[in-house]
Amino acid sequence: MPKPTVGKRKATTGAANRGKKKGQGALRPGSALKHSNASSKPGRTTPKGETRVRKAGSHMRSESTIKRLQLYNSKPDRQRMKEQSLKPVRIQPDRRWFGNTRVIAQQKMQAFRETIAKGVEDPFSVVLKSSKLPMSLLRETEKASRMDLLSVAPYKEVFSKKRQQKRAKIAATDLESLREAADKKAEGYGTDAAALVDAAGMEKTEDFSGHAGEEIFNKGTSRRIWAELYKVVDASDVLVFVLDARDPMGTRCQQLERELRSRQKHVVLLVNKVDLVPTWATRRWIQELMKEFPTLAFHASITNPFGKNSLLNLLRQFGNLLKEKKHVTIGMIGYPNVGKSSVINTLKRKKVCKAAPVPGETRVWQYIALTKRLYLLDCPGIVPPSASDFEADCAKVLKGVVRAERLKTPSDYIHEVLSRVKKPYLLQRYRLSPETSWKDSEEFLTILGKKMGKLVKGGEADIDTAARIVLYDWQRGRIPYFTAPPEDDPASSDAKPEGDGDLSQIPCVHVFDEEDRRGEASAVAEFGL
């Protein structure tokens, strides 16, 4: 009798593999698991025997489609993602984590701060790679700059039992004291200077001897204009302060210069309209201004400029030194009618900014691309706040801040013009006879009005029209005038001023007398020009 087989089964193809072949879902011999052919399983076997569907145009889902559909079913655990590990962890001991840290002594850090501060405050030097230096060390910390309240009001005087409180000021504590205060004020009412009636009860006559200010003198001091200035200052890396060569110190704003120094801005002074003053005066003014900031002489003209190459070379040097910046922006700031827009037109060799010999032509700031790296910013003219008296208003008129046609009484400011300009220059300008003389500004305007034919009804001279003509000529530089520079300092006159070029090439518009050309001989002997 044969022995029965125990524990072994023959691998036969049973009902599970009926009608299926290898590659179409048939089980491997000896396998109890069947591969799924579901459409949502990657790597499935299609009825045609394909294991990976990648053919374009097939109605079967590809593996990438199946994985994308499965991604929609699974959602991230956002709560777990927000959890932070509070347990102590160990940092990898790699030198890369600690390579950018330096520890120095307090004395070395103080020496570093002093050295960097000297370089920042020096207007003739530029700190290289300032973005990689700890420039915040130069500023006072918040704790030091914050007001110490305990030194002003100690704790004991504010919160303790012995606190000191200010008593409210009460004019009257009862009706009797209030009546006495009212009677006292009523007695002194008749002698009040601001009262409309005198002590006798008669109406007082107003005194018009004082100066009545005009609204036009507030131009250039509005919030909108200063907001445009702040935009230019914040967006600029280098600021060019344009000055008038006829009055450089009068067209400076030293308060604004101090503010720019505190903001660590590079400031350059540009003395424009040098063709209206003698050469020796321009040289002395540049020598005087070079003690504070880099100064250049300039004559704005598209066809015949002066100082253009010097200014372009200086701006290119700033562009090379400030390599960490992608673009270097140069802002043009200054008083109205000093030639900021004309300087930009000269650098571009064409009219890109609207310019006119009247103040207030530029109303908003504007960008002009000088090169691929240098950009220019034109700013409206700004006027620092000043006193509202006749002297300050007269200075604004003669600086060209106010348009002459907007003045109500332009004849009031001709007296200052006659006091500054020599008489031969006025006779030459208006072609008057050498024997012409006048005692005051009204008589001069009468002579000038009759000479030009500016008459009113009755054959009398139109004084206001003649005064506006004189102010037009003054603001446009047709009348010879300049502010004399300070006396030359022997200690500072040893070296020739740098950056002003050959000033003898400047074509002077006016013909000055011997007294105004007195400095040319000394300049030739001093500089060899």
Side-chain angles (χ1 to χ4, degrees), residues 296-364:
L296 294 175
F298 199 84
H299 168 47
S301 175
I302 298 178
T303 57
N304 188 21
F306 176 82
K308 175 183 174 181
N309 293 333
S310 301
L311 181 58
L312 285 176
N313 292 335
L314 181 61
L315 298 181
R316 288 194 185 100
Q317 289 179 13
F318 278 112
N320 294 332
L321 294 175
L322 303 175
K323 290 183 178 180
E324 69 272 10
K325 297 182 179 295
K326 186 176 181 181
H327 302 291
V328 178
T329 307
I330 299 97
M332 299 287 178
I333 59 177
Y335 266 74
N337 201 26
V338 294
K340 301 180 292 296
S341 302
S342 300
V343 172
I344 296 178
N345 294 338
T346 303
L347 295 177
K348 289 289 293 182
R349 292 189 298 179
K350 60 181 179 180
K351 188 176 180 180
V352 294
C353 295
K354 191 176 180 181
V358 292
E361 191 67 23
T362 304
R363 300 184 181 275
V364 294

Side-chain angles (χ1 to χ4, degrees), residues 58-206:
S58 176
H59 68 281
M60 306 295 294
R61 293 177 179 174
S62 62
E63 287 196 18
S64 60
T65 304
I66 295 173
K67 291 180 179 179
R68 178 169 53 82
L69 294 176
Q70 288 180 351
L71 183 64
Y72 297 154
N73 296 329
S74 61
K75 297 182 179 179
D77 190 356
R78 299 187 180 275
Q79 187 67 25
R80 185 178 179 183
M81 293 171 60
K82 295 179 180 179
E83 293 180 356
Q84 296 182 1
S85 178
L86 303 178
K87 298 180 180 180
V89 294
R90 187 171 182 270
I91 301 176
Q92 180 184 1
D94 197 337
R95 292 188 62 181
R96 291 178 297 177
W97 297 101
F98 309 99
N100 198 24
T101 304
R102 295 183 181 179
V103 180
I104 61 175
Q106 185 68 24
Q107 296 179 352
K108 291 185 178 181
M109 185 157 93
Q110 186 65 24
F112 170 77
R113 293 180 63 178
E114 293 176 357
T115 305
I116 295 296
K118 290 180 181 178
V120 171
E121 294 175 358
D122 187 8
F124 295 91
S125 62
V126 178
V127 179
L128 302 178
K129 299 181 180 180
S130 59
S131 60
K132 297 184 179 180
L133 294 176
M135 304 300 291
S136 59
L137 295 176
L138 303 179
R139 305 169 187 169
E140 295 183 359
T141 59
E142 184 181 358
K143 184 177 180 180
S145 60
R146 190 168 43 190
M147 184 176 64
D148 192 0
L149 295 178
L150 294 179
S151 63
V152 178
Y155 180 82
K156 294 181 179 180
E157 297 180 1
V158 179
F159 298 106
S160 66
K161 294 182 180 180
K162 298 181 180 180
R163 61 181 179 271
Q164 300 176 0
Q165 295 180 350
K166 292 184 178 180
R167 182 175 296 177
K169 293 183 179 181
I170 302 176
T173 57
D174 52 2
L175 292 176
E176 186 65 23
S177 59
L178 180 62
R179 185 182 63 80
E180 292 178 358
D183 294 342
K184 191 175 182 179
K185 287 185 177 181
E187 292 176 359
Y189 177 77
T191 59
D192 190 3
L196 298 179
V197 295
D198 54 9
M202 301 298 293
E203 185 177 358
K204 294 175 63 176
T205 58
E206 297 184 3

Side-chain angles (χ1 to χ4, degrees), residues 14 52 61 84 221 226 231 255 287 360 433 437 445 498:
R52 296 183 181 278
R61 293 177 179 174
Q84 296 182 1
T221 60
W226 283 87
K231 293 178 187 177
Q255 182 180 1
Q287 187 177 6
S433 61
S437 61
L445 293 176
E498 297 180 1

Side-chain angles (χ1 to χ4, degrees), residues 214-499:
E214 301 180 21
E215 184 65 25
I216 189 63
F217 292 105
N218 296 329
K219 298 296 182 181
T221 60
S222 62
R223 288 186 177 181
R224 187 192 70 82
I225 295 295
W226 283 87
E228 298 291 325
L229 172 68
Y230 295 148
K231 293 178 187 177
V232 173
V233 171
D234 293 339
S236 301
D237 304 310
V238 182
L239 289 165
V240 179
F241 215 114
V242 185
L243 308 178
D244 195 334
R246 295 173 293 179
D247 188 11
M249 297 303 296
T251 51
R252 285 184 66 181
C253 183
Q254 297 184 356
Q255 182 180 1
L256 179 59
E257 293 174 3
R258 289 192 295 268
E259 178 67 21
L260 297 179
R261 272 188 172 183
S262 63
R263 295 193 180 192
Q264 301 176 3
K265 296 287 185 178
H266 302 288
V267 180
V268 178
L269 300 182
L270 190 69
V271 182
N272 194 20
K273 303 181 182 180
V274 293
D275 58 321
L276 302 179
V277 299
T279 304
W280 69 272
T282 303
R283 185 177 293 107
R284 291 284 174 82
W285 273 121
I286 292 176
Q287 187 177 6
E288 185 69 21
L289 297 174
M290 282 281 286
K291 299 177 182 178
E292 302 182 32
F293 296 101
T295 310
L296 294 175
F298 199 84
H299 168 47
S301 175
I302 298 178
T303 57
N304 188 21
F306 176 82
K308 175 183 174 181
N309 293 333
S310 301
L311 181 58
L312 285 176
N313 292 335
L314 181 61
L315 298 181
R316 288 194 185 100
Q317 289 179 13
F318 278 112
N320 294 332
L321 294 175
L322 303 175
K323 290 183 178 180
E324 69 272 10
K325 297 182 179 295
K326 186 176 181 181
H327 302 291
V328 178
T329 307
I330 299 97
M332 299 287 178
I333 59 177
Y335 266 74
N337 201 26
V338 294
K340 301 180 292 296
S341 302
S342 300
V343 172
I344 296 178
N345 294 338
T346 303
L347 295 177
K348 289 289 293 182
R349 292 189 298 179
K350 60 181 179 180
K351 188 176 180 180
V352 294
C353 295
K354 191 176 180 181
V358 292
E361 191 67 23
T362 304
R363 300 184 181 275
V364 294
W365 69 322
Q366 46 189 334
Y367 258 99
I368 296 95
L370 183 61
T371 61
K372 292 183 179 180
R373 241 182 92 73
L374 298 178
Y375 284 82
L376 301 176
L377 264 178
D378 193 11
C379 177
I382 52 101
V383 182
S386 59
S388 58
D389 53 1
F390 178 76
E391 184 179 355
D393 293 347
C394 188
K396 290 181 180 179
V397 173
L398 298 186
K399 288 178 184 178
V401 174
V402 182
R403 295 193 181 190
E405 66 269 13
R406 303 284 181 85
L407 295 174
K408 295 180 180 179
T409 55
S411 58
D412 295 345
Y413 310 99
I414 302 301
H415 175 72
E416 187 67 21
V417 176
L418 299 180
S419 63
R420 296 189 183 189
V421 183
K422 294 182 179 181
K423 182 179 178 180
Y425 294 155
L426 295 173
L427 298 177
Q428 180 184 2
R429 168 60 191 167
Y430 299 108
R431 299 179 181 179
L432 300 175
S433 61
E435 295 81 10
T436 305
S437 61
W438 52 83
K439 295 181 181 180
D440 53 5
S441 59
E442 186 175 355
E443 186 177 356
F444 170 74
L445 293 176
T446 303
I447 297 172
L448 185 61
K450 293 181 179 179
K451 171 73 175 178
M452 294 184 171
K454 305 299 180 181
L455 304 176
V456 294
K457 190 175 182 180
E460 296 181 0
D462 190 354
I463 295 179
D464 290 341
T465 303
R468 286 191 177 91
I469 293 174
V470 175
L471 293 178
Y472 285 148
D473 294 341
W474 172 275
Q475 293 179 355
R476 286 165 171 77
R478 297 169 184 169
I479 300 177
Y481 165 76
F482 67 95
T483 304
E487 294 295 331
D488 193 13
D489 187 7
S492 61
S493 63
D494 296 338
K496 180 180 177 180
E498 297 180 1

